[in-house]
Amino acid sequence: MKRLLILVFLALPMIAFAQTKPYLSIADAERITAAAQAKATAEGWNVVIAILDDGGHLISLKRMDGVQIGSIEVAQAKAKSAVFFKRPTKIFEEAMKGEGGSRIGTLPHAVGVEGGLPIFKDGIIFGSIGISGVTSAQDGIIAEAGVKGY
């Protein structure tokens, strides 16, 4: 009986957490990806679109035709930076332009190139998007369109 009570008490926080914490579903990731791809296609830009969950794990990856393979890892790195630091990668890009900005490059998972955005729901970060394939400003435009598509 004592063991059963211990198991119940240990499981309660996990059950409560699972019921209240928002998460990024595959349907959400597909909607975000579709919105980002629509913007990229409208502009004539071919990119890689990476969607990560709140732990920095890949949910969805789309590589449009003709994009260099290096952009696959760059898009994921931008998304990981955005989710780990809960801010757009553009902030790091701007910080790197200032005095002492090179220190940003020493932070683990900090990517100083625009194109990564965190995705929030009810004020809680629950994923991110990373775009790579064109200029960093264009990557940022596509990422914004993806987030707005959610």
Side-chain angles (χ1 to χ4, degrees):
M1 182 67 172
K2 187 175 180 180
R3 287 184 186 178
L4 179 61
L5 284 174
I6 291 171
L7 286 173
V8 168
F9 283 117
L10 290 175
L12 282 177
M14 293 183 342
I15 293 168
F17 184 69
Q19 293 174 345
T20 60
K21 182 182 175 198
Y23 68 94
L24 193 62
S25 70
I26 189 67
D28 295 331
E30 288 171 350
R31 238 184 347 271
I32 294 164
T33 298
Q37 184 176 359
K39 179 63 175 174
T41 300
E43 298 294 338
W45 301 330
N46 291 343
V47 296
V48 173
I49 304 163
I51 309 294
L52 305 184
D53 67 12
D54 64 343
H57 301 73
L58 188 63
I59 295 175
S60 171
L61 182 84
K62 181 161 222 159
R63 178 179 170 216
M64 296 172 68
D65 292 341
V67 181
Q68 61 273 8
I69 60 171
S71 285
I72 296 169
E73 290 191 29
V74 173
Q76 291 177 80
K78 288 179 181 184
K80 186 173 273 194
S81 181
V83 78
F84 279 16
F85 290 98
K86 299 182 180 181
R87 60 187 47 113
T89 56
K90 182 178 182 178
I91 290 173
F92 292 126
E93 182 176 37
E94 293 300 321
M96 290 181 79
K97 294 176 184 175
E99 184 177 333
S102 61
R103 291 181 301 208
I104 297 294
T106 67
L107 298 174
H109 304 292
V111 174
V113 183
E114 186 176 356
L117 291 176
I119 303 170
F120 292 91
K121 182 175 187 175
D122 301 327
I124 298 171
I125 190 164
F126 78 130
S128 63
I129 183 171
I131 307 292
S132 180
V134 286
T135 69
S136 63
Q138 292 166 334
D139 289 344
I141 290 167
I142 297 165
E144 185 68 33
V147 171
K148 284 182 180 176
Y150 168 71

